[in-house]
Amino acid sequence: MKTVLVSGSGGQLGECIRDLETNYPEINFIFADHSKLDITNSEKTNSFFGQNNIDWCINCAAYTNVDLAESEQQKAFEVNEKGAENLAIACNNNNIKLIHISTDFVFDGSKKVPYKETDITNPINVYGLSKLKGEQKISETLKEHYVIRTSWLYSEHRRNFMKTMLKLSETRSEISVVDDQIGSPTYAKDLADVVMYIIKNNIDDYGLYHFCNKGETSWYGFAKKIFELAGRNINVKPIPSTDFKTDAKRPSYSVMDTSKIENTLGFNIENWKTSLTKAISKLNE
Ligand SMILES: NC(=O)c1ccc[n+]([C@@H]2O[C@H](COP(=O)([O-])OP(=O)(O)OC[C@H]3O[C@@H](n4cnc5c(N)ncnc54)[C@H](OP(=O)(O)O)[C@@H]3O)[C@@H](O)[C@H]2O)c1
């Protein structure tokens, strides 16, 4: 029986992996949330890994508040860079394979066609830089690793854009949403599925991959589709990013090319609209 540790299991992706637990009776899952395992504590992380006979670690732990990271730089790097390094060291010491999640925000958004894994990174905010440093620490420290970059995650769990929009539609008749940032909304359950597919099949094509749902849209297009699928009657007004001030800059284009993961793993990826339809009906259950 394989043992899989899910670090940061209390977050959105961690919860999506927990939802899949019953599909994998042959796997022994250890769900460790922030209170059970703090990945910034190198000693405790190493001893936790040493004590539990783990085969794979899925790291769902991260500092994910993109705007707050601008004023809490040290905290963001502590979790996203040092925490990632601590995990890679603990995996190396204990012969454990690591699947780590990174972000489209490692790119500056200057491209006009989807980013490949070989494209040059150039983060334009603290969060993106801290995540990039984490990727680098992992690839320098541990051979048996996957770093999977994803984008615009949403699901029925925790706080995310889909849930925020639906909540706002309960009290508002109009909402303004940015239409000049283009990306690929990604259902966190689809990401959880591909992670579990790698583990179940013991795939050893380690390295860096891009995973997001197919197709692209703006936050405005994403919001419109959420309201349409949820049957909410609300007027959505497109606005430029300059009219919606945030502490962190965001790339204007961060669509990722997923052909490497599709070709290497033979994994089919859904269009974002198909996955959003599933997420909304799950939310309505
Ligand atoms: N959400 C997105 O749109 C998005 C987009 C691209 C990439 N990603 C990446 O996808 C991954 C999963 O994101 P998500 O949406 O599931 O994030 P999330 O919901 O914010 O979950 C992150 C989890 O990490 C935990 N955590 C924070 N610091 C920790 C520490 N020092 N030790 C252990 N756990 C810690 C948090 O616990 P507390 O809340 O208790 O601190 C939280 O449960 C992350 O690597 C993120 O960078 C996310």
Side-chain angles (χ1 to χ4, degrees):
M1 199 180 217
K2 251 179 260 183
T3 295
V4 174
L5 168 70
V6 183
S7 51
S9 65
Q12 174 174 214
L13 178 61
E15 289 290 343
C16 288
I17 290 174
R18 193 191 289 274
D19 286 346
L20 299 179
E21 184 179 11
T22 50
N23 298 352
Y24 296 91
E26 75 283 14
I27 293 178
N28 169 39
F29 286 89
I30 301 173
F31 291 98
D33 65 11
H34 196 166
S35 64
K36 194 165 173 192
L37 174 66
D38 179 350
I39 64 165
T40 64
N41 187 325
S42 55
E43 250 170 62
K44 286 203 176 141
T45 300
N46 203 41
S47 72
F48 190 96
F49 277 52
Q51 284 158 15
N52 284 290
N53 211 12
I54 300 157
D55 298 292
W56 289 81
C57 169
I58 307 169
N59 180 35
C60 303
Y63 181 104
T64 57
N65 192 325
V66 177
D67 288 310
L68 203 57
E70 296 296 310
S71 54
E72 291 191 348
Q73 295 206 11
Q74 205 185 332
K75 221 170 152 184
F77 282 94
E78 193 61 28
V79 182
N80 293 343
E81 181 183 17
K82 191 75 182 74
E85 184 181 28
N86 291 341
L87 289 174
I89 293 170
C91 285
N92 214 6
N93 290 344
N94 296 285
N95 203 16
I96 297 165
K97 299 174 265 291
L98 174 64
I99 300 183
H100 176 76
I101 310 301
S102 191
T103 172
D104 55 330
F105 282 11
V106 298
F107 296 114
D108 63 16
S110 56
K111 262 188 99 176
K112 294 288 165 270
V113 292
Y115 281 95
K116 288 180 183 292
E117 290 81 353
T118 46
D119 279 323
I120 291 171
T121 52
N122 183 30
I124 56 172
N125 58 44
V126 170
Y127 165 76
L129 182 61
S130 69
K131 292 292 290 182
L132 178 62
K133 295 280 184 192
E135 291 184 4
Q136 290 165 349
K137 290 288 190 244
I138 287 171
S139 67
E140 286 160 18
T141 310
L142 179 72
K143 184 170 160 278
E144 296 184 322
H145 74 268
Y146 286 87
V147 169
I148 304 179
R149 291 183 184 140
T150 192
S151 60
W152 297 24
L153 280 188
Y154 67 90
S155 69
E156 50 278 20
H157 299 294
R158 297 282 296 234
R159 248 189 68 212
N160 58 65
F161 184 80
M162 175 185 76
K163 289 177 72 182
T164 303
M165 289 298 116
L166 291 173
K167 186 99 198 128
L168 285 173
S169 72
E170 287 167 11
T171 51
R172 303 240 203 121
S173 57
E174 182 176 280
I175 182 167
S176 300
V177 187
V178 166
D179 75 341
D180 56 2
Q181 289 168 22
I182 307 296
S184 305
T186 302
Y187 187 19
K189 182 196 174 290
D190 291 352
L191 176 60
D193 278 334
V194 77
V195 165
M196 291 312 302
Y197 178 88
I198 291 171
I199 294 175
K200 183 186 167 69
N201 296 293
N202 267 319
I203 300 173
D204 59 2
D205 290 301
Y206 302 111
L208 175 64
Y209 291 89
H210 288 174
F211 181 89
C212 53
N213 280 125
K214 292 276 198 186
E216 58 183 63
T217 188
S218 63
W219 290 109
Y220 165 78
F222 189 15
K224 290 267 286 182
K225 198 73 196 168
I226 292 166
F227 297 134
E228 179 198 315
L229 291 170
R232 302 282 165 96
N233 191 12
I234 178 167
N235 188 32
V236 190
K237 201 174 134 209
I239 53 161
S241 313
T242 45
D243 286 0
F244 186 74
K245 291 271 180 276
T246 53
D247 290 336
K249 276 200 245 166
R250 286 166 171 76
S252 57
Y253 181 88
S254 64
V255 179
M256 294 186 291
D257 183 320
T258 53
S259 47
K260 183 180 173 193
I261 203 162
E262 289 171 274
N263 296 337
T264 310
L265 306 190
F267 194 87
N268 273 338
I269 305 179
E270 296 276 20
N271 183 275
W272 70 270
K273 291 178 193 164
T274 313
S275 287
L276 180 60
T277 309
K278 287 183 192 162
I280 291 202
S281 50
K282 189 98 202 226
L283 208 55
N284 288 336
E285 266 172 21

